[in-house]
Amino acid sequence: NAGVTQTPKFQVLKTGQSMTLQCAQDMNHNSMYWYRQDPGMGLRLIYYSASEGTTDKGEVPNGYNVSRLNKREFSLRLESAAPSQTSVYFCASSERGVNGYTFGSGTRLTVV
Amino acid sequence: SQKIEQNSEALNIQEGKTATLTCNYTNYSPAYLQWYRQDPGRGPVFLLLIRENEKEKRKERLKVTFDTTLKQSLFHITASQPADSATGFCGSSNTGKLIFGQGTTLQVKP
């Protein structure tokens, strides 16, 4: 049982490049989330998907787009990366928020 | 705007003592609060959830309280061990999406 799988684990981008962070869960959860974590800032919600076919903005959505491809997969896209997007990105899933979230192991992204 | 705050100063305690982490929220009334631990280089791991109509919840050496008057949740670890050293996060929600505090780092010394 893998839980939440994120790829890649590490990535270095140049300013202006684009990339997609992938996330998949195998727990049949309805809801999925993308967070970023910066030192001293805790976890900040970027986008979430309450159920397949829906997505909504979180606290810090600017510069990102998401796609809920199916119930299992929720991807995060950076169209034109900026140094301010250097962070650790976590994907999570839950059954409508109850009984806790399951987090992936994170993607460490550096934009130079 | 909705705010959830934790003491960002590190908490250092001696092995065997009780560690207490604090979480305060303002400008809203969360339906539930959740507590997580995070080890360096890893994703957060869910520990406990407490609903607004519950005063206290326990799981082994862990205890969480929810005081809607004080707008505060406390997370206690009794008989703490060095393996409990990690960063503790509280998250709150009343809409299904969790907003997290900034986390408190706990260091348990042998």
Side-chain angles (χ1 to χ4, degrees):
Chain A
N1 188 351
V4 177
T5 302
Q6 291 184 238
T7 54
K9 292 195 184 305
F10 301 94
Q11 184 73 47
V12 178
L13 288 179
K14 292 183 179 177
T15 298
Q17 285 186 317
S18 62
M19 80 161 292
T20 299
L21 281 64
Q22 307 286 354
C23 175
Q25 52 94 6
D26 62 3
M27 296 167 287
N28 203 35
H29 285 164
N30 281 295
S31 303
M32 297 185 74
Y33 313 83
W34 276 105
Y35 287 87
R36 62 177 286 174
Q37 185 172 36
D38 303 294
M41 302 287 290
L43 293 146
R44 292 183 291 169
L45 182 64
I46 305 171
Y47 270 94
Y48 67 104
S49 171
S51 60
E52 188 179 353
T54 69
T55 60
D56 281 292
K57 295 178 181 179
E59 302 167 272
V60 288
N62 292 344
Y64 305 95
N65 284 302
V66 290
S67 295
R68 183 75 183 266
L69 305 168
N70 48 54
K71 193 171 185 179
R72 287 189 64 245
E73 298 171 288
F74 188 38
S75 63
L76 178 72
R77 182 158 179 85
L78 287 70
E79 290 291 351
S80 178
S84 60
Q85 294 178 305
T86 293
S87 188
V88 182
Y89 291 85
F90 288 101
C91 177
S93 71
S94 75
E95 189 47 45
R96 300 192 191 284
V98 297
N99 298 325
Y101 286 21
T102 301
F103 281 83
S105 57
T107 295
R108 187 172 294 275
L109 175 68
T110 302
V111 183
V112 297
Chain B
S1 61
Q2 298 176 0
K3 247 180 138 178
I4 183 162
E5 291 179 310
Q6 297 180 253
N7 188 350
S8 56
E9 285 183 23
L11 182 60
N12 295 298
I13 65 165
Q14 207 64 37
E15 182 176 8
K17 301 290 187 187
T18 297
T20 299
L21 279 64
T22 304
C23 178
N24 296 292
Y25 58 92
T26 53
N27 298 330
Y28 72 115
S29 297
Y32 53 84
L33 288 161
Q34 302 185 19
W35 284 89
Y36 291 76
R37 73 169 279 162
Q38 185 178 30
D39 295 286
R42 310 191 83 131
V45 174
F46 171 70
L47 296 175
L48 278 170
L49 178 151
I50 186 166
R51 291 182 168 79
E52 61 179 337
N53 61 349
E54 298 173 317
K55 294 271 189 246
E56 182 180 296
K57 205 142 189 196
R58 291 175 186 261
K59 180 182 175 183
E60 298 170 355
R61 293 185 296 111
L62 309 180
K63 184 178 87 170
V64 172
T65 62
F66 193 168
D67 189 325
T68 54
T69 302
L70 292 178
K71 293 185 178 291
Q72 182 180 81
S73 175
L74 299 178
F75 177 80
H76 305 275
I77 307 174
T78 58
S80 59
Q81 305 164 0
D84 294 327
S85 299
T87 298
F89 286 97
C90 66
S92 71
S93 173
N94 57 3
T95 59
K97 62 182 194 292
L98 272 187
I99 304 298
F100 285 92
Q102 60 268 59
T104 299
T105 298
L106 170 66
Q107 188 72 37
V108 181
K109 300 188 176 176

